[in-house]
Amino acid sequence: MERANLNDLKAVMAIAKRGTFRGAAIELGMSTTALSHAIGKLEGNLGVRLFNRTTRSVSLTEAGRLFVEQVGPALQNIHSALDIVRSQRESPSGTLRINAAAFAAREIISPVIIEFLRRYPEMNIDLVTEGKLVDIIADGFDLGIRVAHLVPSDMIAVSLGKLQKYVVVGSPEYFERYGKPQIPTDLFRHKCIRVRLPDGALFRWKFEKNGEIIQIDVQGPITLDEASLSRAAVLESIGLGYFMEQDVRTEIESGQLVSVLDDWMPCMSGLCLYYSGRRNQSAGLKAFLALVREVALNNE
């Protein structure tokens, strides 16, 4: 019987985590067919089925559940051992896996990630963006990037040095036709781009001034779940949008969009990069953290 290799073990864990062969294949950077073949071969070697498969779902068998329970911690130990060895290299190499909110990734892509790859050509970055907060250790990430108040308390956080702020924006054409809201409740008379969160709930626009907090369940002709689509709709004068400022900064500076209700939009916690202090740091991770601190210092 052939022994399972490390890639086979990673494949099982990815399917168990994602719940689909397609999602796991995307994470692993391989085709669904190749992944299915690899799992089938592993199951054949083991003599048991690890997954129940139907046309609509994938679930662990009892043998699969026991397999995942045993393999998960073992894989983490293997990765830790590899990190220890890599940390002895003078020149950083290997792959850093980073999980971030999409807006956070856009904020650091140029000043941090691109610069890091220029400085360390033997390094690779695997950047995954998603709205939900994940356990970066359980999901195999080296780093996470979130707004400061969302960083888990057991993680080491490094500030990226910039406060965050939301803005309400519309096109000049929209305001010429409908006028500008002067206070948040004026939004009930305006067309707005509604946003659906990753958990399916509709995002409520939040405002604050002099200790008064208002949350508005806006109404409008379209509901979207991705910032770039919402920005496109606002640029087409479909309605007003509520964005992280950095997502529309270029359009505001060019005059394509105009911000309103600015005195109702307080600054929030800044972005933080975070990581586990319980894992040995590779040379690549140390170099990345050093660059983050350098960029944050320049932003102060």
Side-chain angles (χ1 to χ4, degrees):
M1 180 182 74
E2 295 183 24
R3 293 185 178 182
N5 60 41
L6 187 59
N7 288 334
D8 292 334
L9 305 184
K10 291 171 64 176
V12 173
M13 298 302 296
I15 297 168
K17 179 178 69 175
R18 297 294 178 182
T20 67
F21 273 70
R22 182 175 181 275
I26 292 173
E27 176 181 323
L28 296 169
M30 60 193 301
S31 70
T32 304
T33 300
L35 177 60
S36 180
H37 176 75
I39 294 299
K41 185 177 180 180
L42 175 61
E43 290 176 326
N45 290 334
L46 293 173
V48 295
R49 295 187 68 84
L50 300 175
F51 297 98
N52 295 312
R53 306 171 179 81
T54 70
T55 56
R56 295 186 176 182
S57 65
V58 176
S59 61
L60 287 167
T61 63
E62 179 61 21
R65 184 185 63 78
L66 293 172
F67 187 88
V68 167
E69 287 179 354
Q70 296 298 315
V71 166
L75 269 180
Q76 289 191 22
N77 289 335
I78 291 172
H79 288 307
S80 294
L82 292 173
D83 288 341
I84 291 173
V85 173
R86 292 192 188 104
S87 68
Q88 304 306 306
R89 289 179 56 102
E90 292 183 4
S91 178
S93 65
T95 299
L96 283 181
R97 298 194 71 229
I98 303 173
N99 184 281
F103 74 86
R106 288 190 289 270
E107 188 75 358
I108 70 160
I109 188 69
S110 179
V112 178
I113 292 178
I114 300 302
E115 176 61 24
F116 179 75
L117 294 174
R118 289 191 179 116
R119 293 187 185 185
Y120 306 103
E122 293 185 57
M123 287 297 305
N124 299 304
I125 296 290
D126 182 1
L127 177 62
V128 177
T129 61
E130 52 190 328
K132 65 180 180 180
L133 190 64
V134 303
D135 182 334
I136 61 170
I137 301 303
D139 286 0
F141 292 99
D142 299 290
L143 303 160
I145 304 173
R146 299 284 162 169
V147 175
H149 72 270
L150 293 178
V151 175
S153 59
D154 61 342
M155 293 286 161
I156 297 174
V158 179
S159 173
L160 294 176
K162 285 186 177 180
L163 295 177
Q164 302 298 299
K165 182 180 179 181
Y166 280 105
V167 291
V168 175
V169 295
S171 69
E173 292 78 9
Y174 177 92
F175 290 128
E176 183 177 345
R177 183 174 182 182
Y178 296 105
K180 295 180 180 180
Q182 302 301 313
I183 57 174
T185 52
D186 287 346
L187 292 170
F188 289 121
R189 299 193 296 273
H190 283 266
K191 301 176 185 295
C192 298
I193 310 302
R194 309 185 82 194
V195 174
R196 191 176 302 282
L197 298 171
D199 64 2
L202 288 172
F203 179 71
R204 300 178 72 188
W205 296 13
K206 183 177 179 179
F207 303 90
E208 183 177 347
K209 183 178 180 181
N210 298 329
E212 181 183 2
I213 298 176
I214 299 176
Q215 294 193 66
I216 304 290
D217 185 8
V218 297
Q219 301 298 310
I222 188 169
T223 301
L224 300 168
D225 64 359
E226 209 283 320
S228 64
L229 297 176
S230 298
R231 186 169 59 250
V234 175
L235 286 167
E236 292 290 339
S237 303
I238 298 299
L240 304 181
Y242 188 98
F243 300 94
M244 296 300 298
E245 184 180 35
Q246 60 263 35
D247 286 344
V248 290
R249 186 179 296 137
T250 300
E251 290 81 1
I252 292 173
E253 291 174 351
S254 69
Q256 291 177 280
L257 295 177
V258 177
S259 64
V260 294
L261 301 173
D262 292 340
D263 56 337
W264 283 88
M265 313 300 286
C267 290
M268 307 179 306
S269 301
L271 290 174
C272 280
L273 178 148
Y274 64 96
Y275 60 97
S276 172
R278 296 192 295 271
R279 296 179 63 176
N280 289 286
Q281 292 183 11
S282 65
L285 178 55
K286 290 178 181 177
F288 192 87
L289 292 173
L291 176 57
V292 166
R293 292 187 175 98
E294 176 186 325
V295 171
L297 185 63
N298 292 335
N299 287 335
E300 290 182 352

